[in-house]
Amino acid sequence: MFLYDSGRDGYIDLMELKLMMEKLGAPQTHLGLKNMIKEVDEDFDGKLSFREFLLIFHKAAAGELEEDSGLMTLAKLSEIDVSIEGVKGAKNFFEAKVQALSSASKFEAEIKAEQDERKREEEERRNRRAAFRELKSAFSQ
């Protein structure tokens, strides 16, 4: 996935998905690309996160994708063939996917911690302002 993330923002947007599908030899129409994103876009941001990208393969394995859909084509073109790659190659492939997923989870946890810290700091600022206004009003009388 990250090979095609030309914006280096951790997401695959419409144009990056278009390029990916073209390089995989399965070009899609603009509408087809939008539908591909829409089918797995859990947060409705119009682009694919790594988790949403992995969801493509989960849905393909569970038989939840239409056989002729762009996502099924992507899943088939991105599969690893154990008979060609060998068990070790498949192991490395999936370990890399798991590692990237756990890194993404760690990153999300760090972002959440930063957001919580900002909220706490903002609450402290509000409390200090309220206390200051209270003291100011006591001296103003």
Side-chain angles (χ1 to χ4, degrees):
M1 174 183 151
F2 297 111
L3 175 67
Y4 297 101
D5 180 16
S6 59
R8 302 284 182 241
D9 59 357
Y11 295 92
I12 297 291
D13 63 25
L14 187 79
M15 292 310 292
E16 291 165 338
L17 182 60
K18 178 181 185 295
L19 179 66
M20 179 191 306
M21 294 304 290
E22 287 171 354
K23 285 191 175 184
L24 289 172
Q28 302 290 312
T29 65
H30 184 77
L31 186 59
L33 293 165
K34 288 177 88 168
N35 287 336
M36 287 173 66
I37 291 174
K38 184 178 176 183
E39 191 166 345
V40 290
D41 189 11
E42 295 178 319
D43 56 7
F44 307 107
D45 61 357
K47 52 190 175 182
L48 300 177
S49 66
F50 186 71
R51 174 182 160 66
E52 293 164 340
F53 188 75
L54 290 180
L55 187 58
I56 296 168
F57 302 98
H58 175 76
K59 284 186 166 203
E64 297 174 12
L65 297 176
E66 295 292 322
E67 194 60 38
D68 60 345
S69 74
L71 290 180
M72 182 57 93
T73 303
L74 176 60
K76 285 180 179 177
L77 291 172
S78 302
E79 284 180 346
I80 186 160
D81 188 344
V82 177
S83 64
I84 295 172
E85 299 293 331
V87 173
K88 186 173 171 129
K91 177 180 177 278
N92 293 340
F93 174 80
F94 288 108
E95 282 178 350
K97 278 189 174 186
V98 168
Q99 177 65 34
L101 186 57
S102 65
S103 295
S105 296
K106 181 180 175 186
F107 181 67
E108 288 171 6
E110 289 173 3
I111 289 173
K112 176 92 169 96
E114 286 178 15
Q115 289 171 340
D116 290 345
E117 178 68 18
R118 280 192 212 114
K119 285 178 187 175
R120 188 185 59 73
E121 289 172 356
E122 184 60 35
E123 183 66 30
E124 284 178 12
R125 255 191 301 275
R126 275 190 241 123
N127 290 339
R128 283 194 305 267
R129 285 184 196 137
F132 178 76
R133 278 189 230 111
E134 192 175 305
L135 281 173
K136 183 180 172 187
S137 68
F139 284 109
S140 299
Q141 296 175 357

